[in-house]
């Protein structure tokens, strides 16, 4: 049988990883993600329903998607989160969740039932006051306890940390030290520019900055690990430590060559790249009882080689290009 090429783009990259944003809403207000004035929420009737999410996901799985990640906004604030998870767990895919961890404890049994093995929790500081400053909410303890709970319950736990110069770059080593006795993965993410998040190059903590810091504190102890195929992170560990750490460097070292990701926004639009301004509505044809395949094909066909067309340092630093894209909260990270 001939291989279906619907999910292969013009650069020969086959997309097997679908990231679905369940909502534009969130119970935190991270400054790098949510603009200070909030965002205009999409009216409910234009958001995907539980069944629409399932139908679209089912079609992607039939086309060759093997992994689905639920994200947002905060995926767990959606009332039908348990039902969505249950339905998607009937598909032959690995399911991942990225969450801020505030509500995760109450869904623990449901996550286990759905066979979710890995949970990615965002936490940008190990200090309560700094956590409050960046998330605009006083929820550090809740998130920290959830991280401990999920480890105890046998989940593989990854922590996402967006590094911002002068804010939390002083905590890089503290985060890595958590991996000494805890089998967790720390993922440092370079701060990326999106509409309304006041990004600029001076706030960026680069891949190289991170490695320099680690090499200074742990000379000769840093070990480069093998990255999985299509990994967006470069993986390391400190010799003798239980856990590991990784760096996601979309700004200074993009990993676009091996990209296998495609994103579906809560209002049912495909984005072929986090940085791309172009969007392709799947909800429109779906609600008109038409096939969504031509739109999926078109979205893949339009995918740029690098960062949605922002392929040079000049372009990624151009604020006019940032405002053409959505805010991160409405894309689904
Ligand atoms: N609410 C969930 C959470 O915070 O984990 C899921 C959605 S959030 C948009 C997904 C991930 O994107 C989080 O780890 C967050 O830290 C990251 N993120 C948001 N804005 C970002 C930015 N401007 N640059 C880099 N990462 C960002
Ligand atoms: Fe909410 Fe996650 Fe964005 Fe923070 S990063 S505002 S928790 S969606």
């Amino acid at each position: 049988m001939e291989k279906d090429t619907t999910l292969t783009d013009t650069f020969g990259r086959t997309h097997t990883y679908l990231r679905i944003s369940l909502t534009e809403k969130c119970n935190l207000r991270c400054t790098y993600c949510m603009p200070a004035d909030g965002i205009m929420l999409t009216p409910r009737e234009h958001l995907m329903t539980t069944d629409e999410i399932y139908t679209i996901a089912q079609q992607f799985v039939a086309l060759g998607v093997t992994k689905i990640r639920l994200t947002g906004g905060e995926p767990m604030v959606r009332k039908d989160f348990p039902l969505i998870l249950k339905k998607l767990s009937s598909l032959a895919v690995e399911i991942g969740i990225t969450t801020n961890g505030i509500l995760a404890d109450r869904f623990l049994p449901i996550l286990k039932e759905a066979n979710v093995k890995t949970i990615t929790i965002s936490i940008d500081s190990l200090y309560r006051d700094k956590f409050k400053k960046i998330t605009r909410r006083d929820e550090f303890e809740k998130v920290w306890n959830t991280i401990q709970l999920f480890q105890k319950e046998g989940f593989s736990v990854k922590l996402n940390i967006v590094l911002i110069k002068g804010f939390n770059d002083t905590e890089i080593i503290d985060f890595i030290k958590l991996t000494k006795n805890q089998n967790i993965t720390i993922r440092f993410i370079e701060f990326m520019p999106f509409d309304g998040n006041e990004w600029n190059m001076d706030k960026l903590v680069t891949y190289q900055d991170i490695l320099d810091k680690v090499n200074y504190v742990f000379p000769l102890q840093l070990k480069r690990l093998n990255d999985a195929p299509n990994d967006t992170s470069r993986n390391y560990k400190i010799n003798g430590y239980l856990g590991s750490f990784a760096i996601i460097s979309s700004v200074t070292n993009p990993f676009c060559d091996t990209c296998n990701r495609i994103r579906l926004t809560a209002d049912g639009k495909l984005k072929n790249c986090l940085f791309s301004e172009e969007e392709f509505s799947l909800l429109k044809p779906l609600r008109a009882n038409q096939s969504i395949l031509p739109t999926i094909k078109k979205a893949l066909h339009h995918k740029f080689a690098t960062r949605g067309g922002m392929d040079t340092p000049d372009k990624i630093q151009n604020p006019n290009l940032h405002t053409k894209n959505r805010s991160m909260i409405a894309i689904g990270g």
Side-chain angles (χ1 to χ4, degrees), residues 19 21 23 25-28 30-34 69-76 97-101 120-124 159-164 187 189-195 197 199 248 250-251 263 274-275 327-333:
R19 299 171 73 101
S21 170
T23 177
K25 292 186 182 161
C26 190
N27 40 9
L28 295 184
C30 305
T31 55
Y32 52 74
C33 177
M34 169 96 88
R69 175 165 300 277
L70 301 180
T71 177
E74 172 48 42
M76 294 184 185
I97 317 261
T98 303
T99 173
N100 59 30
T120 304
I121 301 176
S122 303
I123 179 163
D124 300 309
L159 305 187
N160 273 1
I161 296 116
V162 178
L163 287 175
I164 300 176
R187 291 153 40 97
I189 309 178
E190 282 184 353
F191 181 24
M192 296 181 276
F194 294 101
D195 190 24
N197 76 356
W199 180 92
I248 301 172
S250 317
V251 179
R263 298 181 138 80
L274 195 52
F275 292 103
S327 299
M328 179 63 131
I329 184 115
I331 300 174

Side-chain angles (χ1 to χ4, degrees), residues 182-293:
Q182 300 184 53
N183 193 6
I184 48 175
T185 306
I186 302 292
R187 291 153 40 97
F188 297 116
I189 309 178
E190 282 184 353
F191 181 24
M192 296 181 276
F194 294 101
D195 190 24
N197 76 356
E198 294 178 6
W199 180 92
N200 68 54
M201 218 39 197
D202 296 340
K203 293 181 183 168
L204 187 68
V205 182
T206 68
Y207 177 70
Q208 197 53 51
D209 293 338
I210 300 167
L211 280 189
D212 288 349
K213 263 200 172 129
V214 179
N215 267 317
Y216 183 75
V217 178
F218 301 102
L220 308 176
Q221 281 170 275
L222 184 61
K223 184 174 173 200
R224 179 78 164 94
L225 301 176
N226 290 330
D227 304 328
N230 309 111
D231 234 348
T232 52
S233 53
R234 294 179 170 88
N235 295 276
Y236 294 88
K237 77 181 284 155
I238 303 300
N239 278 328
Y241 279 23
L242 215 51
S244 60
F245 73 95
I247 306 173
I248 301 172
S249 53
S250 317
V251 179
T252 62
N253 279 290
F255 29 74
C256 306
D257 291 356
T258 56
C259 181
N260 67 343
R261 285 138 208 257
I262 187 149
R263 298 181 138 80
L264 182 61
T265 60
D267 57 343
K269 291 180 178 146
L270 268 190
K271 280 182 87 75
N272 57 26
C273 172
L274 195 52
F275 292 103
S276 126
E277 65 182 86
E278 241 189 326
E279 301 181 345
F280 303 83
S281 177
L282 294 187
L283 209 47
K284 257 195 199 152
L286 189 73
R287 288 187 177 175
N289 284 322
Q290 291 164 0
S291 168
I292 61 171
L293 294 187

